Amino acid sequence: MKLYSLSVLFKGATKANLLKAAYDLSSFSFFQRSSVQEFMTFTSALIAERTSVGTRASVKEQEYLCHVYVRNDNLSAVVISDSEYPQRVCFTLLDKVLEEFSRQVDSIDWPSGNPDTVSYKGLDIHLSKYQNPREADAMTKVQAELDETKIILHNTMESLLERGEKLDDLVSKSEHLGNQSKAFYKTVNMADSPATLNWIHAAATVSVVVFATFAGTETELLL
Amino acid sequence: MAESKEEVDVLVQRVVKDISIALKRHPNIDEIGLIQCPEALYNRSPIVLVENKLGVESWCVKFLLPYVHNKLLLYRQRKHWLDREALVDITCTLLLLNPDFTTAWNVRKELLECGALNPERDLYLSKLALTKFPKSPETWIHRRWVLQHILRQFSAVAHKTQQRVEAEQPDAERSQFLGSHLDRLIHQEMKVCSDAACRYPSNYNAWSHRIWVLQHMAKGNIKVFRDELSSVHPWVSMHVSDHIFCPSQHQSNTVHSTCPQANGELSLADAACGDRITTVFKLFYQETELCADLIQSFPGHETLWSHRRHVYYLWHHWRQDQDLCTDGRENELKPTCINEPDGSQGRNVDRHKHVSVPMEVDRVSLPDHDSKRLRRGILLPNLLTLQNEHTFVNSILNSCCNAEQNNYAVAYKKWLDTVISAQSLDI
């Protein structure tokens, strides 16, 4: 069970502003990490933008789960985990991070801050500590029921979008994604069916697609 | 493609050479990867080395792979000659791009057999391939072939030593050297398997390989099995839904393998027999405890219940075998309760008292309390009874609200009733 990214954002009127983020990409292959990180930033911002103020939600995408909490003061936190990691612990983590962040960083800096100007250092430590949910959360039982606050569940990223909105467009316009990552995304979504969104899979499996194609065709021709 | 055939030839030969040089000069390379790069940007090699990771820019693959693939097949068909060095380089490049190309591994087998290639090179190459293709069946198969090749070499050396009339080196020293080499190999295999299992969930091929290594390379080596069990435990705790439950099967096999080994190692004196049985009890108990702990902490993972079935089934049958063999000696091991009279009534009450503890929020007291008793070798048989299993399942059913967990618990209960009870002589 793993946590991949933890970010704090400010949900503005039209978009979410990334204030600070921490990543653990050690389980991804080395050359994919920068793209994966960009996609995670992109996704965290998108989810924070599309989640209403004062709500918690979990968005499932392939084998990843993105958990978000947007507080009433618009300060938000997003954590991306795998599907094994217990959901309740994620929300405990988000609460904790937001509480600590709002004590250490002045609210006047939230709307316009960015990772370089914001001086909160707790994210890396929390991300690392919470890799083991039982150690991090020893006081409360991991499987205890979530409290009455409802958590909205989304089965895909696409359910966050407005009617007519396409994820492809959002990807190509995004300032969080570099050209290489956008190229990644394009390559995979041509190979797969248009309905499927494989943003992390884009980074992780495009190489498999390439090799399978070549190995397959060549063996047919030569053997 | 605008490039002419000659340009492609030159490019590919350069890339193959670059890969070979990179691997020779940087023996610390521990991972390979593909770098997304649709076009060659600068006039430079597509082989990139960063922090001990070897990357291949994607634009060159469409030239590289068909070319080397074709070359090797032509060699195989005897239409084109390649010297040994070229063969090594070409197969290396091929396998880093497509490790399921059996022909390439077979060419390397031939090179190994005639001594032109060191087996360690292939262990290294397959390890690199697995960082990118952790499931690749052909790579695992080749790895086992290489290990068997090495083992044959070992036994040839050991055999020669025995045949020598006057040994230049004392036998003990040589076998110690071989022994530590073997240990190092086993340790390396375990690392490769667990890396591959982390990279790809439910990696059946990796776990099968791990089991194979233990069965073929660690015969009679209790320490290896013990280390295995203790290293797999934390892994399983962090990968509770690794669904092929190979880790759990692996654990069960390891526990099981440790039992007959214990048989062979210790004498048949009563005291030693008691020790052996205690050791096995401890192992089963620890497995069951770990399983219970994970089931309660992470509700709704079928793998954990499957594992419990596996462990209990093994324990149940092992116990029955022991009952048949020891006939009566078991009486000496019957537990005595510290504070209560020796009647079976007292024991029953005590058993329930212990089993009721897991239902409390704070289970810390149970392991400590029982671990003291474990050390004294008493009470153990009563901790792994059918009745306790039922109590455990009931406690889960009473306390959990997770629908899946409920289903798994009910299924487990059914299994206990139908399979275990039916097979019991008497519990």
Side-chain angles (χ1 to χ4, degrees):
Chain A
M1 50 190 73
K2 261 196 98 49
L3 296 177
Y4 301 110
S5 89
L6 181 58
S7 20
V8 178
L9 308 107
F10 180 76
K11 181 181 164 71
T14 49
K15 66 188 216 43
N17 182 25
L18 180 72
L19 294 170
K20 207 71 174 170
Y23 305 91
D24 181 344
L25 304 171
S26 51
S27 55
F28 292 96
S29 124
F30 181 81
F31 294 101
Q32 295 158 3
R33 285 175 199 171
S34 62
S35 272
V36 169
Q37 180 170 316
E38 287 177 5
F39 273 113
M40 288 192 172
T41 312
F42 165 75
T43 308
S44 301
L46 180 62
I47 289 179
E49 276 163 31
R50 302 307 166 98
T51 302
S52 318
V53 169
T55 55
R56 291 178 171 83
S58 296
V59 183
K60 186 167 159 50
E61 185 58 43
Q62 307 290 323
E63 60 266 36
Y64 304 95
L65 275 166
C66 313
H67 307 281
V68 61
Y69 176 29
V70 179
R71 288 197 334 189
N72 287 319
D73 57 6
N74 285 39
L75 192 65
S76 330
V78 180
V79 65
I80 300 183
S81 73
D82 68 4
S83 51
E84 265 184 5
Y85 197 96
Q87 190 193 32
R88 196 200 62 78
V89 180
C90 286
F91 284 105
T92 307
L93 172 60
L94 294 179
D95 283 350
K96 198 174 179 160
V97 161
L98 288 176
E99 203 212 338
E100 202 180 78
F101 186 91
S102 49
R103 273 187 278 120
Q104 292 184 14
V105 180
D106 232 353
S107 55
I108 203 112
D109 296 325
W110 297 350
S112 56
N114 65 63
D116 296 322
T117 60
V118 169
S119 64
Y120 173 63
K121 293 198 180 23
L123 280 182
D124 285 300
I125 301 168
H126 284 311
L127 186 63
S128 158
K129 188 160 160 242
Y130 272 77
Q131 290 298 347
N132 187 334
R134 292 196 293 172
E135 266 177 37
D137 210 355
M139 293 310 291
T140 37
K141 273 257 191 242
V142 164
Q143 83 279 16
E145 285 308 296
L146 292 150
D147 59 19
E148 303 83 47
T149 321
K150 275 213 303 238
I151 294 175
I152 303 169
L153 287 169
H154 295 273
N155 274 323
T156 71
M157 284 266 281
E158 275 155 346
S159 59
L160 292 171
L161 305 180
E162 316 264 318
R163 255 169 79 101
E165 232 186 344
K166 293 238 164 56
L167 205 50
D168 292 13
D169 297 334
L170 294 173
V171 166
S172 57
K173 282 190 279 182
S174 167
E175 65 201 22
H176 295 294
L177 297 172
N179 287 329
Q180 213 182 53
S181 301
K182 289 181 185 175
F184 253 159
Y185 179 86
K186 271 214 192 81
T187 326
V188 169
N189 283 304
M190 269 159 45
D192 292 0
S193 77
T196 320
L197 174 66
N198 284 324
W199 48 262
I200 296 282
H201 262 239
T205 64
V206 81
S207 46
V208 176
V209 170
V210 169
F211 294 140
T213 315
F214 281 115
T217 45
E218 288 310 312
T219 26
E220 277 164 36
L221 289 172
L222 297 168
L223 290 176
Chain B
M1 289 173 222
E3 290 78 2
S4 68
K5 190 171 180 311
E6 291 76 29
E7 282 173 350
V8 172
D9 269 2
V10 167
L11 166 70
V12 171
Q13 283 180 37
R14 190 181 151 200
V15 171
V16 170
K17 221 41 200 170
D18 283 350
I19 292 178
S20 167
I21 291 172
L23 289 172
K24 280 202 188 93
R25 283 199 197 145
H26 304 273
N28 288 329
I29 292 177
D30 59 10
E31 192 183 315
I32 55 165
L34 187 74
I35 303 173
Q36 268 307 306
C37 194
E39 285 161 12
L41 292 173
Y42 312 106
N43 191 15
R44 57 151 202 218
S45 173
I47 305 304
V48 172
L49 184 63
V50 179
E51 289 181 40
N52 291 329
K53 322 286 179 195
L54 185 67
V56 177
E57 287 179 355
S58 62
W59 62 266
C60 78
V61 174
K62 60 180 180 288
F63 304 118
L64 188 58
L65 187 53
Y67 182 93
V68 286
H69 191 121
N70 201 13
K71 262 254 157 48
L72 193 70
L73 288 176
L74 289 174
Y75 164 77
R76 258 305 201 231
Q77 293 160 357
R78 299 182 197 283
K79 291 180 187 161
H80 180 82
W81 170 252
L82 287 167
D83 64 37
R84 283 177 180 180
E85 206 188 299
L87 268 179
V88 169
D89 288 346
I90 284 196
T91 49
C92 178
T93 304
L94 244 178
L95 290 164
L96 288 176
L97 296 174
N98 179 16
D100 278 323
F101 187 35
T102 321
T103 308
W105 287 123
N106 287 344
V107 166
R108 288 186 84 96
K109 285 184 182 70
E110 287 169 9
L111 290 167
L112 262 163
E113 299 230 279
C114 71
L117 194 57
N118 184 344
E120 301 271 343
R121 294 287 315 157
D122 267 27
L123 288 180
Y124 177 64
L125 180 64
S126 56
K127 183 179 79 157
L128 278 186
L130 289 168
T131 60
K132 199 163 175 327
F133 303 91
K135 269 191 86 166
S136 166
E138 292 302 318
T139 311
W140 291 111
I141 289 170
H142 184 77
R143 228 184 148 77
R144 287 194 276 280
W145 186 92
V146 173
L147 289 168
Q148 281 173 324
H149 181 91
I150 295 177
L151 288 175
R152 276 196 297 271
Q153 284 180 332
F154 277 6
S155 57
V157 168
H159 192 56
K160 259 193 231 154
T161 314
Q162 278 169 354
Q163 284 183 331
R164 260 186 234 168
V165 176
E166 64 257 337
E168 281 147 26
Q169 251 180 332
D171 285 358
E173 203 182 292
R174 184 169 290 247
S175 60
Q176 200 178 38
F177 170 75
L178 287 177
S180 69
H181 193 177
L182 189 63
D183 277 345
R184 186 181 62 78
L185 278 175
I186 294 174
H187 190 77
Q188 185 181 260
E189 288 312 298
M190 297 297 115
K191 175 108 196 353
V192 169
C193 288
S194 71
D195 283 348
C198 287
R199 284 178 207 272
Y200 193 92
S202 299
N203 192 339
Y204 183 79
N205 297 338
W207 287 103
S208 304
H209 183 83
R210 200 166 178 150
I211 293 172
W212 181 94
V213 167
L214 287 176
Q215 287 171 339
H216 289 79
M217 292 174 68
K219 281 188 229 170
N221 191 337
I222 293 273
K223 182 175 181 303
V224 168
F225 283 101
R226 291 272 175 85
D227 289 347
E228 259 308 275
L229 274 178
S230 48
S231 68
V232 170
H233 279 185
W235 198 94
V236 167
S237 306
M238 295 300 283
H239 294 84
V240 291
S241 69
D242 210 78
H243 230 275
I244 302 198
F245 78 89
C246 283
S248 72
Q249 199 173 37
H250 174 71
Q251 270 175 273
S252 317
N253 283 342
T254 313
V255 169
H256 199 221
S257 310
T258 322
C259 310
Q261 297 308 324
N263 264 329
E265 285 221 340
L266 302 171
S267 74
L268 291 174
D270 285 349
C273 186
D275 279 343
R276 162 171 66 86
I277 293 182
T278 309
T279 312
V280 175
F281 282 166
K282 258 197 229 178
L283 286 172
F284 276 111
Y285 178 73
Q286 279 164 357
E287 283 304 301
T288 322
E289 276 298 284
L290 171 74
C291 208
D293 191 23
L294 291 175
I295 284 176
Q296 287 170 321
S297 299
F298 303 110
H301 288 283
E302 189 173 15
T303 27
L304 299 172
W305 289 97
S306 298
H307 182 50
R308 201 177 177 89
R309 268 191 198 64
H310 225 83
V311 173
Y312 193 76
Y313 187 80
L314 274 179
W315 152 253
H316 181 73
H317 282 271
W318 186 85
R319 182 140 186 217
Q320 287 190 328
D321 289 344
Q322 291 306 307
D323 281 339
L324 292 170
C325 298
T326 57
D327 46 49
R329 247 179 288 169
E330 276 265 303
N331 288 325
E332 293 161 32
L333 301 164
K334 283 250 154 61
T336 51
C337 302
I338 305 288
N339 298 319
E340 282 172 297
D342 249 296
S344 56
Q345 245 356 75
R347 235 183 284 134
N348 268 333
V349 172
D350 199 60
R351 214 189 298 154
H352 283 161
K353 232 204 296 185
H354 276 289
V355 166
S356 68
V357 172
M359 289 170 84
E360 287 168 24
V361 173
D362 183 359
R363 283 187 83 232
V364 172
S365 60
L366 179 61
D368 278 355
H369 191 44
D370 270 296
S371 64
K372 286 205 195 106
R373 289 176 175 235
L374 277 172
R375 271 179 248 132
R376 271 174 276 168
I378 53 175
L379 192 68
L380 290 164
N382 278 359
L383 287 173
L384 291 174
T385 60
L386 190 56
Q387 195 162 1
N388 279 10
E389 283 305 289
H390 276 290
T391 314
F392 170 72
V393 176
N394 289 334
S395 75
I396 298 287
L397 285 168
N398 290 336
S399 63
C400 94
C401 318
N402 181 316
E404 283 171 336
Q405 180 88 322
N406 235 39
N407 292 340
Y408 300 142
V410 166
Y412 186 69
K413 205 176 161 72
K414 244 193 203 158
W415 178 79
L416 287 174
D417 289 334
T418 51
V419 177
I420 298 292
S421 300
Q423 293 177 354
S424 300
L425 303 173
D426 58 329
I427 293 279

